[in-house]
Amino acid sequence: MSINDNKELRVGMVGYAFMGAAHSQAWRTVNRAFDLPLRVRMAAVCGRDEAKVSEAADKLGWDGYVTDWRELIARDDIDVIDVCTPGDSHAEITIAALAAGKHVMCEKPLANSVAEARAMVDAAAAARESGIRTLCGFNYRRVPAAALMRQMVAAGRLGVIRHVRAVYLQDWITDPEFPLVWRLQQERAGSGALGDIGAHIIDLTQYVTGQRITGVSALTETFIKERPIPAEASGLAATGNGQAVGQVTVDDAALFTARLSGGAIATYEASRFALGRKNGLRIEINGSLGSLVFDLERLNELEFYDGTKPSAEQGFNRILVTEPEHPYLAAWWPPGHIIGYEHSFTHQMRDFVQAVAEGVDPHPSFEEALGVQLVLEAVQSSAASGSAWTQVAQPTVPVAA
Ligand SMILES: NC(=O)c1ccc[n+]([C@@H]2O[C@H](COP(=O)([O-])OP(=O)(O)OC[C@H]3O[C@@H](n4cnc5c(N)ncnc54)[C@H](O)[C@@H]3O)[C@@H](O)[C@H]2O)c1
């Protein structure tokens, strides 16, 4: 374990935009909220534009900055590389960081393809021999209500799981004039709504139920097939008004039905065209003894229907997940004083730092994230073959720790 004498864990982060800001907030906060054996030092952030990365380092609280991720990895005063870039660079940065003996936290989805994800798993397995730890950033596992959901399922409160119903809905690209950003380009993002937000509900439902998706039948759609791009990108077709346009090469929406390894049947829906839905992640699970509902817009709550109660007393109960005995909550505020989106990242950093200090693997491992990637691939393959039923290849590890 590459920890310095000051018991510091020195982090270098690549990318400083959306996830870079969320991770920075979590690295800044983690030692203030939680008592940990190691103190995080935010050593350096990497971005390609010097003026912008210098400003970001200052604003987000990093000691310094570099303009090439290779420089970050070469530094011997950095223990962890935190990858917050688009999917097309996850494999290259991660594999190089692991080879240099750095622990790695990598944002989801793990990679843009199964082949890349497998290479990352192999690199993580080799690095593990030297005590190097890896984690893929499926942060919603660490929303306390979602973690409680998993605990209640594992404790048998739902009995045998029959149904999983999961949606993740957004609406930020419904305007056809919205530009061709990296998330709409297959070579940069791997897939569209499927890999971006569908990956979250795949991971979360597998984590909560402890069951793997074994087969799928899928539909994907790209509603807007061309979008404006910045004029400086040459060689692209122009619209009637002279504006350059490019092809959207990912799905705008993905739906699939699935079977889970424990016998449950499931439906999944991921869309960026659900007008009015901003970041609507909702999961409902029905078992033989009860049901649970999690809704990210009300993330401090969990709805529980206990079918074992006398019928006169049955009904959905709202559990306010703010008690100290709820996952992660003892570190925060008195009961009823709610928390938010950013806390899931602080919890992720907390578990990562603790695992590095203890010399154990945090979850989700790269092997588990490969499991999500295998589902994404099966969904794309099914959609491309007229929704044909498609078996999902299985990773060799069980679901979650
Ligand atoms: N866990 C979550 O809930 C969640 C939410 C959003 C995004 N993500 C994931 O996080 C990753 C980043 O997404 P984002 O929304 O932060 O994207 P973003 O576009 O907001 O930021 C990407 C950053 O990466 C930088 N970058 C790109 N290539 C680089 C390179 N070669 N070297 C250095 N910097 C480089 C960009 O300059 C930018 O700072 C993606 O994998 C995405 O799927 C996860």
Side-chain angles (χ1 to χ4, degrees), residues 133-191:
R133 308 294 157 199
T134 49
L135 177 149
C136 182
F138 284 108
N139 58 301
Y140 292 128
R141 289 179 172 212
R142 273 129 176 150
V143 172
L148 177 63
M149 203 174 188
R150 175 180 157 86
Q151 286 178 3
M152 291 176 71
V153 171
R157 299 302 298 276
L158 296 199
V160 179
I161 306 296
R162 310 282 196 213
H163 285 290
V164 173
R165 218 164 284 113
V167 300
Y168 199 162
L169 306 174
Q170 300 182 339
D171 70 354
W172 55 280
I173 57 168
T174 46
D175 180 354
E177 294 305 310
F178 187 90
L180 190 64
V181 296
W182 69 261
R183 280 185 160 83
L184 307 182
Q185 299 168 31
Q186 192 272 337
E187 69 279 13
R188 304 229 41 217
S191 64

Side-chain angles (χ1 to χ4, degrees), residues 300 320-326 328-339:
N300 291 277
L320 189 60
V321 189
T322 58
E323 296 296 320
E325 57 265 52
H326 287 139
Y328 304 105
L329 265 310
W332 296 105
W333 317 118
H337 293 68
I338 54 179
I339 62 164

